[in-house]
Amino acid sequence: MSIQRTLQKCLDDWKRISGLDFCLLDLNGRIYSSTCQRQLPAQSKLEEFHSASALCMANSGCCLYKIQDKEEFAYTLIVWGNGESVPTIGELAVYQIESLLTAYAEKNDKNTFMQRLLLGNYTQVDAFNQAKKLRISSTARRAVFLVETRQEKDEHALATIKNIFSARTKDFITSIDDRGIIVVHELSSTETEEDLEDIAFMLVDMLGTEAMTQAWVSYSNLAEDLGQLSNAYKEARTAIEIGKIFYAEKNVFSYRRLGIGRLIYQLPVSLCEMFIQEIFGDESLDSIDSETLAIIRTFFENNLNLSETSRQLYVHRNTLVYRFEKIQKKFGLDLRTFEDALTFKLAMLVAGYVTYSKNKR
């Protein structure tokens, strides 16, 4: 919730409780938040109040109060009423507003600090010094989660994630660009690295049920101190890119478990294209119809078991054999043998990476 909406809610609550009307003006005399449409004091009165050293002033039918933000005059609070309780209510309102402004500024400072830290914009010494000023632990164990949904700037997803972690005041939820939502999670004394996967799946499930959106979640290795968080963010970013390229059927990706996709991702595209040419020749993976590709993927998932693949797909065993024989004639690979199946599986992964790299240019 923005600070303006928060202040408006406070003014509305105070009116409900006290029966008085409140109005908050900015330095230019414009209404920032208000509970009524009463006529404002004359501009000359406001200017007189601004230039005076007094922090409050009684006017005809109302009281004026100066609101300070970081020890500087920022707003004027108007409280309408003539009762004996008005000055006390006004002073309480001033204290509450200034406390909210301080808390909001501190929250923004922490958020900005975490964003710059994830981008690697601090030296290790500067990061530790700034963390000390903001009362952020520099030695806590943390992990970085990266959440992506189909929609960029998904405010509903962001609100859902903030609600999930609302009770965890030491976690940070932020974003650096439009590509995803970042959760910097501080592990409790009882949490281990194995618990990170449960958190990732929980995020996917909650976004699916609460925000009604499909999500992909990646997470980094543990960062033992603040200095390692920038690398942790890079790990989470790498994990989600590799995961979406090579493991499209999954929604959760751990940087520690990226399998052969991690190796292929680091190969030059030109080398990958040579490999594909070697396997497919003048043909390409696109020349295989989608139904055959689905059969091949299911066959691989079932560890090259023809009978189990036939049962799952409700396809006769002889039909599968016929399909595989066509692939063998076309590419010289018998997918019923381990070595040729491995080669074809690698070719599929490499082809997906090449397509992704070309589309990214």
Side-chain angles (χ1 to χ4, degrees):
M1 185 181 293
S2 69
I3 186 63
Q4 185 172 15
R5 290 176 61 188
T6 301
L7 291 174
Q8 181 63 56
K9 184 178 185 303
C10 287
L11 265 60
D12 291 337
D13 289 342
W14 297 336
K15 177 177 180 176
R16 178 175 52 80
I17 295 169
S18 68
L20 302 176
D21 275 317
F22 300 82
C23 182
L24 204 57
L25 304 179
D26 63 19
L27 290 177
N28 296 316
R30 292 190 295 260
I31 295 176
Y32 188 73
S33 297
S34 180
T35 64
C36 62
Q37 295 182 343
R38 290 175 182 253
Q39 184 175 350
L40 299 176
Q43 186 64 31
S44 58
K45 279 289 184 183
L46 292 175
E47 291 175 356
E48 178 186 345
F49 179 53
H50 289 179
S51 58
S53 58
L55 296 178
C56 64
M57 176 187 291
N59 195 37
S60 177
C62 66
C63 291
L64 308 180
Y65 299 88
K66 287 180 179 175
I67 305 293
Q68 294 186 320
D69 186 12
K70 296 181 180 178
E71 300 183 355
E72 292 186 0
F73 180 28
Y75 301 96
T76 300
L77 175 67
I78 304 174
V79 183
W80 277 278
N82 294 310
E84 293 181 359
S85 63
V86 172
T88 302
I89 293 173
E91 289 178 11
L92 287 171
V94 168
Y95 176 78
Q96 181 69 27
I97 292 171
E98 289 182 345
S99 297
L100 286 170
L101 292 173
T102 300
Y104 189 79
E106 182 176 299
K107 180 181 177 182
N108 278 352
D109 287 343
K110 287 183 177 181
N111 191 58
T112 301
F113 166 72
M114 190 57 65
Q115 289 176 339
R116 295 187 62 193
L117 184 66
L118 293 173
L119 290 173
N121 292 341
Y122 286 107
T123 65
Q124 190 166 7
V125 173
D126 288 342
F128 288 166
N129 288 338
Q130 186 66 14
K132 187 176 181 181
K133 290 179 183 178
L134 296 173
R135 299 189 295 277
I136 297 173
S137 172
S138 59
T139 56
R141 298 178 306 146
R142 296 181 175 91
V144 176
F145 290 82
L146 182 59
V147 182
E148 287 190 2
T149 60
R150 291 190 179 279
Q151 179 183 344
E152 292 185 354
K153 294 184 178 180
D154 193 333
E155 295 295 334
H156 197 183
L158 178 61
T160 301
I161 293 173
K162 285 183 176 179
N163 186 55
I164 292 171
F165 291 93
S166 60
R168 300 189 58 91
T169 57
K170 294 182 180 180
D171 290 348
F172 292 89
I173 300 166
T174 187
S175 59
I176 292 174
D177 49 36
D178 296 338
R179 298 170 60 192
I181 301 164
I182 302 166
V183 179
V184 180
H185 173 66
E186 182 174 318
L187 277 73
S188 66
S189 58
T190 58
E191 286 181 305
T192 66
E193 201 156 2
E194 284 67 34
D195 295 315
L196 300 181
E197 185 177 41
D198 293 335
I199 295 173
F201 276 110
M202 178 267 293
L203 283 168
V204 170
D205 292 341
M206 291 296 289
L207 287 170
T209 55
E210 299 292 331
M212 303 298 288
T213 184
Q214 182 181 6
W216 295 268
V217 179
S218 66
Y219 59 95
S220 67
N221 290 327
L222 284 185
E224 299 294 339
D225 57 48
L226 286 175
Q228 297 178 5
L229 275 180
S230 178
N231 282 336
Y233 169 64
K234 292 175 184 175
E235 289 174 354
R237 174 65 69 192
T238 299
I240 206 162
E241 287 189 5
I242 292 176
K244 290 173 75 174
I245 297 169
F246 300 105
Y247 312 109
E249 73 282 1
K250 297 183 179 180
N251 293 85
V252 170
F253 315 110
S254 166
Y255 183 76
R256 293 184 63 187
R257 297 191 291 272
L258 293 175
I260 198 168
R262 187 200 309 273
L263 296 177
I264 298 173
Y265 186 76
Q266 298 179 59
L267 294 174
V269 175
S270 58
L271 188 62
C272 293
E273 289 175 331
M274 288 175 59
F275 176 72
I276 294 173
Q277 175 67 26
E278 180 182 335
I279 301 302
F280 296 136
D282 295 331
E283 298 285 348
S284 70
L285 196 62
D286 294 335
S287 65
I288 304 175
D289 63 271
S290 58
E291 185 179 354
T292 300
L293 282 175
I295 289 173
I296 292 171
R297 291 192 178 97
T298 306
F299 182 57
F300 289 162
E301 289 169 5
N302 287 303
N303 299 315
L304 312 187
N305 188 317
L306 271 173
S307 299
E308 182 60 23
T309 303
S310 173
R311 186 189 67 80
Q312 284 190 15
L313 297 176
Y314 301 100
V315 176
H316 195 278
R317 179 187 174 95
N318 291 341
T319 302
L320 297 182
V321 172
Y322 170 73
R323 296 267 187 159
F324 292 148
E325 286 177 348
K326 284 183 65 177
I327 293 293
Q328 185 175 4
K329 290 178 182 178
K330 193 169 190 175
F331 301 115
L333 297 172
D334 185 357
L335 302 187
R336 292 165 293 181
T337 66
F338 174 77
E339 186 173 348
D340 285 355
L342 177 61
T343 300
F344 193 87
K345 176 67 174 178
L346 283 173
M348 290 175 68
L349 293 173
V350 172
Y353 172 59
V354 170
T355 301
Y356 165 83
S357 299
K358 287 181 177 179
N359 291 337
K360 194 177 180 182
R361 290 173 185 171

